[in-house]
Amino acid sequence: MFTISHSDGSFIKKIFTIAISPLEVIPLNVSTDGINILGISPDKMILIKISVPSLVFEEFNLSSEAKLFLEKEDLKLAVKKISKRERVRIEYNEGDRDLKMTIFNPKTGVEKIQMIHIREEGEEPPGEIDIDLETEIQMTSDSLISLVRDVATVSDEMELSIQKSKLKIRSVGDLMRYDTTLEEGRGVMSISSKSEAVVSKYSIDLLKTVIKGIPKNTVITIGFGPSKPMKIYLPLEGGAGATFWIAPRA
């Protein structure tokens, strides 16, 4: 049983929008630490973790920990109705079949109530991923979104490699080819690599799924290694954060 609320609707909207993009069922865990979402995409190719500390919320009342599997379409509809300056309150009582989301506009006094169906069960990932990655890159989310969209016009695969402290991105299609080189101050903010020869390939379809939920104008950290999953981390307000793990291509 819990009641949590936040005065900035855009923050709640951001959290759930990130989760909705790769998942069919949203596993919401609420504990004394805060909110945690750890889920895996239906094809098992994307794992996502979102952590939001309890101190971020203006109200965080919890009588017992809860693990809920939320219906994606209901949550998607509720999130669409949230505006930036609206207060959002989320409530759950043990045994409820729905999560109650109340959206209140302090300017107009209008209150909207959205009920989000709770599934009896859902799929959970076997656990978190703990892999040492050779390369770490910082760039803006806008840069990543632009790169993915550009490569998508060429083929369904993006190859990333590190050469002489530069990030090279390559894609080869049936009719076109895409090559670009990024370095610190030109496309990326920083590049750190433990090896001078790091190459890995990733599905554009998976990357397109991820960027759907990533907010614009955000500094993100990307990690990858030879034939290892790609890690995308984006910090959120108040110490919250979201991490995506994307499976590599052979």
Side-chain angles (χ1 to χ4, degrees), residues 151-157 171-178:
V151 172
T153 64
V154 176
S155 79
D156 64 352
E157 183 176 271
S171 183
V172 179
D174 294 333
L175 301 174
M176 293 187 292
R177 179 188 178 99
Y178 180 90

Side-chain angles (χ1 to χ4, degrees), residues 115-247:
M115 305 303 289
I116 302 159
H117 181 64
I118 300 169
R119 289 194 180 187
E120 292 185 4
E121 58 183 24
E123 186 169 6
E124 292 186 275
E128 297 184 47
I129 297 175
D130 184 15
I131 298 176
D132 185 39
L133 300 174
E134 284 77 1
T135 299
E136 185 174 280
I137 299 162
Q138 274 198 331
M139 64 168 62
T140 65
S141 54
D142 300 57
S143 295
L144 176 63
I145 291 168
S146 179
L147 284 170
V148 172
R149 288 175 177 170
D150 287 347
V151 172
T153 64
V154 176
S155 79
D156 64 352
E157 183 176 271
M158 176 189 284
E159 179 186 280
L160 286 77
S161 63
I162 296 294
Q163 297 178 25
K164 297 180 179 179
S165 299
K166 295 181 180 181
L167 172 64
K168 293 184 177 291
I169 297 174
R170 177 174 176 265
S171 183
V172 179
D174 294 333
L175 301 174
M176 293 187 292
R177 179 188 178 99
Y178 180 90
D179 285 284
T180 191
T181 300
L182 307 178
E183 55 186 306
E184 291 186 12
R186 294 182 58 190
V188 297
M189 301 169 71
S190 67
I191 298 176
S192 174
S193 183
K194 301 174 186 176
S195 172
E196 285 295 321
V198 181
V199 181
S200 197
K201 298 177 181 179
Y202 302 94
S203 162
I204 281 295
D205 286 340
L206 297 181
L207 287 165
K208 283 166 67 176
T209 296
V210 169
I211 65 171
K212 284 180 184 177
I214 291 181
K216 293 183 178 180
N217 197 30
T218 302
V219 176
I220 61 174
T221 302
I222 299 173
F224 69 94
S227 301
K228 293 181 180 180
M230 177 189 289
K231 178 183 179 182
I232 300 177
Y233 173 76
L234 52 147
L236 301 169
E237 295 90 327
T243 303
F244 292 93
W245 289 93
I246 304 169

